[in-house]
Amino acid sequence: MNASFIKFLLVTLFLGGGIGAIFYALSGQGPSDGKGTSVAQEEQFLSDVRQADSLHIKLKKTDPTEQASEFSTLRFKQEEAIGRMETGYKADTVFRSLSQVTGRNYSKLLGTVALQASDRQTKAETKDQLVDQVATLKTEVQSLETQLMLKQSSLENLRTIKATQP
């Protein structure tokens, strides 16, 4: 390669980078309030995400019918963590958008868990109803068997009476 060509590439690269940096600084693409995301905000966000994950797992394993108070307590804690994610961060717009989207996603997961819980409850109620129906059917079958046995015995009695008559 030619040395003058290398110099031309380097000068063009530095000049283009400088112009790009000037436009970036002038257009205000940095954080909206002049501050970036602080380490404390990032730590709080990660803490909220970890808490939301663990609560989501616990909530999925908790039966709302048998452990109703624990289920509602976990759901309340989950909603607090989601609320902090959706509204609690006032840093730059990208971080705020990320935390809001994360909060909305956890909110959707919470709705899914609530739907699954109501489905489990509905299935349990349906199972109880079916058990009751089966028990009722068993008693009715026993009643029919008893009636059949009585009819057979009365039929045999009629046959013996008929056989003894001339």
Side-chain angles (χ1 to χ4, degrees):
M1 282 186 139
N2 193 342
S4 64
F5 181 69
I6 292 175
K7 286 181 188 177
F8 172 74
L9 284 177
L10 287 174
V11 168
T12 306
L13 183 66
F14 286 122
L15 189 61
I19 292 172
I22 290 171
F23 277 122
Y24 181 79
L26 292 176
S27 67
Q29 293 296 322
S32 60
D33 59 354
K35 295 186 268 181
T37 305
S38 70
V39 175
Q41 285 177 324
E42 289 179 10
E43 292 288 327
Q44 181 65 40
F45 175 72
L46 292 175
S47 170
D48 285 342
V49 169
R50 278 187 227 106
Q51 182 183 13
D53 279 343
S54 67
L55 288 171
H56 175 71
I57 291 167
K58 287 179 187 174
L59 203 60
K60 281 176 63 174
K61 294 179 180 178
T62 306
D63 189 11
T65 54
E66 295 177 5
Q67 304 161 322
S69 64
E70 185 178 345
F71 185 82
S72 63
T73 302
L74 288 173
R75 185 173 176 152
F76 179 72
K77 287 180 182 177
Q78 180 79 333
E79 287 172 350
E80 281 182 337
I82 290 170
R84 275 194 307 272
M85 279 188 258
E86 289 179 336
T87 61
Y89 302 102
K90 305 294 184 210
D92 58 24
T93 54
V94 174
F95 184 70
R96 185 173 44 226
S97 297
L98 172 70
S99 63
Q100 287 173 347
V101 168
T102 305
R104 281 194 298 273
N105 288 342
Y106 275 110
S107 189
K108 289 176 186 175
L109 284 175
L110 185 61
T112 304
V113 168
L115 184 63
Q116 289 171 344
S118 68
D119 283 351
R120 279 189 302 205
Q121 188 173 4
T122 303
K123 286 178 184 177
E125 289 171 357
T126 304
K127 182 180 175 183
D128 290 342
Q129 288 174 354
L130 289 174
V131 167
D132 289 343
Q133 287 177 357
V134 166
T136 304
L137 287 174
K138 282 182 180 179
T139 17
E140 289 176 358
V141 165
Q142 287 175 348
S143 172
L144 287 173
E145 286 175 347
T146 306
Q147 288 176 6
L148 181 64
M149 287 172 42
L150 288 173
K151 295 229 182 222
Q152 282 178 344
S153 96
S154 81
L155 182 64
E156 286 177 10
N157 285 340
L158 283 175
R159 282 185 188 154
T160 47
I161 290 174
K162 213 176 197 184
T164 58
Q165 288 181 349

